[in-house]
Amino acid sequence: MDELVPGGNLPLPGGVLTLGVPGPFDVSALVTDDSGKVRGDGDFVFYNQPAAPGARLSGQTLTVDPAALRAGASRVTVVVSPAEPGTPLGRLPAPTLQVTGSGGRLLARFTPSRPQRETVLLLAEIYRRGTAWKLRALGQGYADGLAGIARDFGVEVAEDTDAGTGPGTEVGAGSGATGAGPLADGFLPLVNSARAAVGSRAVVLDGRLTAAARAHAADMAARGRLGSEGADGLSVHQRVTVAGYAYLTVGEHLVSGPRDAAEFVEYCLSGERTRRTVQDPAFTEAGVACVPDNRSGTLYWTALWAAPLTPGGLARTAAEVLALTNAERAAAGLPPLAEDPLLTRAAQAHSADMVARAFYSHTAPDGSEPWDRAAAAGSTRRTIGENIACGQRSPAEVVRGWMDSPGHRANILKPAFTHLGVGFAGGGSAGTYWTQLFGA
């Protein structure tokens, strides 16, 4: 049995899965495709609609048969909310998800950080990767109940009050719904027009990016100020990874004041740096949300831009760092470095470790140094050097930063070095973590 942490993944066996959350909670689920959107009303499983193809809710227990999901479904997101509507989750025990496989074997358990004012939580998701299915722990909270989650997954929500039943929520899937809220309507055509003007391909909205944008905008609105880190200690980039989106590159706009999407996009295009983010050809997906400050009425906006992490994309990024590094060596009259798979393994592990354990140093929390990591990966090279960096959005940006730093530049231009491994990981407070591991 695995104890998961936010962002943790677990391969799942075949067969029916049982997911339960004991305690004073309601369980719901959303069935989506690769776009992160529901296709219709039947994809929303909750107490008033307890069954969909491949998913059935009975009390606090959800059973999922991935093989029986509707055609095109690639993800089931598990949602938990208080059994007493409107109760902040912070007043209740922390919810614990228990996942059981066929035969009753306990596969995994996940208890997120205790929520505070949130009234609903994206707890975990079952998702397809190739032909296999996996479980990912999330722990992403919302302060506006199931309505906020429904909107972010492409469901139109209309609040109504019925004298016989009390407050209720009517949900229905709307074509082209962005999940960002009515004030953000029109965002996508405006930004894609600006991108087309410089030859960049259009971006599409992703439900996970929108969920992360909404959570961050809500945090800023609650505090009444802009910030890249929320009161819960999560950076805007960490919200993206917690929402289940692994990225190769990421960008953001955090803005307060615009009254609608047109004003927000106009602001983003008004400065050279902010316009460059909107038009960056590396981005393929986006998410946007705005949330009002209930005291002043000021709208707080978050837009997120990203390209998803793929094995091919990671390999191209590492190859580009190597090529740019060798271009700098060639300009200095030095021979090129050769790619080294063992140094690459160690460099990649260090970048991932800096994200996972929230540090930024050549010395890992366990005391290991670059040469220790190279040896652990199987390298027998006698001389080892390391460059690290965080926050840069592209290979060109990170290599330029290293060349502008005397110590890092010395490693890149050291004549004795003959081989290089490159590592990259997205996440953490800085958003991106890079490692170069040199060997001779």
Side-chain angles (χ1 to χ4, degrees), residues 10-12 66 69 73-75 126-128 131-135:
L10 176 70
L12 292 171
L69 294 171
S74 59
R75 182 176 286 109
I126 298 166
Y127 67 100
R128 185 175 61 215
T131 59
W133 289 83
K134 302 180 75 174
L135 174 73

Side-chain angles (χ1 to χ4, degrees), residues 200-221:
S200 295
R201 62 176 168 168
V203 294
V204 297
L205 290 176
D206 180 90
R208 294 160 295 176
L209 291 175
T210 295
R214 186 177 185 84
H216 200 73
D219 185 278
M220 293 190 298

Side-chain angles (χ1 to χ4, degrees), residues 33-37 75 77 122 125 127 129 136 138 140 142 152-153 205-214 239-240 242-246 285-287 304 308:
D33 54 24
D34 289 337
S35 72
K37 302 296 183 183
R75 182 176 286 109
T77 303
L122 297 181
E125 64 180 7
Y127 67 100
R129 185 66 76 231
R136 178 185 287 119
L138 298 178
Q140 178 69 57
Y142 286 69
D152 283 349
F153 281 79
L205 290 176
D206 180 90
R208 294 160 295 176
L209 291 175
T210 295
R214 186 177 185 84
R239 295 190 197 282
V240 174
V242 167
Y245 190 102
E285 297 175 332
L304 293 166

